[in-house]
Amino acid sequence: MACGGAAAAFAVNFTHPIELVKTRMQVSGGALGATISGVVKEGGVTAFWKGLPFGWGRELSYTSVKLGAYAPVRNAIGAGGPDAGIGMKFLAGALTGGFGSILGNPFDVLKTLAQTNTKGEGLGLLVGNLYRDQGMGGFYRGVQVNIMRACVLNATKMGVYDATKGFVTEQTGWGRKDIKTSFSAAFVAGFFMTLTVSPWDMIRTKLMNQPTDAKLYDGFADCAAKTIKEGGVLSLWRGFIPIWARFAPQATLQLLTIEMIYNKMGYSGI
């Protein structure tokens, strides 16, 4: 799992700005260009990395489990062989993603608040205000949808990546450890992740971005209903382009990095 956490913490340095833009688009409903210019006007280029420490915490908790534990769990449930069905690979991804999301939820909440904070409040103040107004429970708001999102995300990511590696190997003759195989599979996984995760990501962002001293939504179903009522069903996919722009390179960087770490340490790859 340490390999997964290291790979994810490295990748997030490059993808955090894209996620910040995505998060603000989901909250404000603004266009891509207007959101980017607003961030630059607010704090310059460095504002795109607002909340990065919470991003590191998230990757070292949540992603270390969902990414690093995938192969052991997949093999434990008998889905590691070349003839294993994709459904079992999806199950392994869902199990590790769901458990990891529970560990990383506090960092997800704080990262979302930091990314949408336009008042210049420090990270310590954000943490203090949340604890003062909602106690420890505040750090786990939105945890239900976060678990569902993580199950869908990791099942898609790891299942599609694993299956695509097998397909690419069969079609091209490249080895499973070949960087070209890993890159191709990671890119495909990033696209399908965006398709399946966007609605869950939208609802999670709205639930986690509620003011610390107010409750705008009464859970997942209420948030989903109000979001659809305000903007229609397609509003659940708002921010699709920046989500894809984040998922594709992030999945590629994470998966390529963990494969390289596995190879250097003598472990079998995914």
Side-chain angles (χ1 to χ4, degrees):
M1 288 193 295
C3 296
F10 171 74
V12 76
N13 292 294
F14 302 96
T15 60
H16 189 83
I18 304 171
E19 185 184 16
L20 182 140
V21 173
K22 176 271 299 182
T23 300
R24 291 202 177 187
M25 286 181 66
Q26 290 176 327
V27 171
S28 68
L32 178 61
T35 301
I36 293 174
S37 62
V39 174
V40 174
K41 183 178 180 181
E42 173 193 322
V45 175
T46 57
F48 288 98
W49 278 268
K50 183 178 290 185
L52 181 59
F54 296 131
W56 290 331
R58 176 184 186 270
E59 302 307 328
L60 291 172
S61 55
Y62 162 57
T63 311
S64 66
V65 175
K66 77 166 187 175
L67 186 59
Y70 169 75
V73 171
R74 176 201 62 189
N75 295 339
I77 64 175
D83 297 326
I86 191 172
M88 293 297 287
K89 299 181 188 295
F90 271 63
L91 175 60
L95 289 173
T96 54
F99 182 72
S101 68
I102 297 173
L103 298 179
N105 202 83
F107 294 108
D108 262 325
V109 171
L110 293 169
K111 177 169 61 70
T112 301
L113 290 174
Q115 288 178 329
T116 56
N117 173 32
T118 59
K119 300 177 182 178
E121 297 174 332
L123 301 184
L125 185 59
L126 287 174
V127 175
N129 287 346
L130 183 60
Y131 181 75
R132 179 198 65 204
D133 295 332
Q134 298 187 14
M136 288 302 298
F139 295 96
Y140 279 90
R141 62 182 180 178
V143 66
Q144 295 91 346
V145 70
N146 205 24
I147 292 173
M148 291 185 280
R149 174 190 179 276
C151 289
V152 172
L153 184 152
N154 212 46
T156 305
K157 176 181 181 178
M158 302 310 297
V160 171
Y161 176 73
D162 202 342
T164 303
K165 282 188 75 174
F167 176 80
V168 171
T169 299
E170 292 176 359
Q171 296 299 313
T172 64
W174 300 339
R176 284 187 69 90
K177 292 186 177 182
D178 193 314
I179 191 171
K180 298 189 296 294
T181 304
S182 298
F183 180 87
S184 302
F187 186 82
V188 173
F191 175 73
F192 282 99
M193 283 163 61
T194 310
L195 286 178
T196 58
V197 172
S198 290
W200 306 94
D201 196 76
M202 165 67 80
I203 295 169
R204 183 195 69 159
T205 297
K206 287 198 167 189
L207 286 172
M208 291 184 173
N209 190 56
Q210 296 175 92
T212 61
D213 58 351
K215 188 175 183 180
L216 304 180
Y217 307 105
D218 187 22
F220 163 74
D222 182 55
C223 182
K226 288 180 178 177
T227 300
I228 294 173
K229 183 177 180 180
E230 291 170 4
V233 174
L234 291 180
S235 67
L236 294 174
W237 278 266
R238 182 180 296 143
F240 182 89
I241 296 301
I243 293 176
W244 188 18
R246 173 198 169 216
F247 276 170
Q250 185 176 47
T252 303
L253 283 169
Q254 285 181 355
L255 292 165
L256 287 178
T257 302
I258 195 172
E259 294 278 20
M260 287 190 288
I261 293 174
Y262 278 164
N263 290 338
K264 291 291 184 182
M265 298 184 70
Y267 299 145
S268 59
I270 296 173

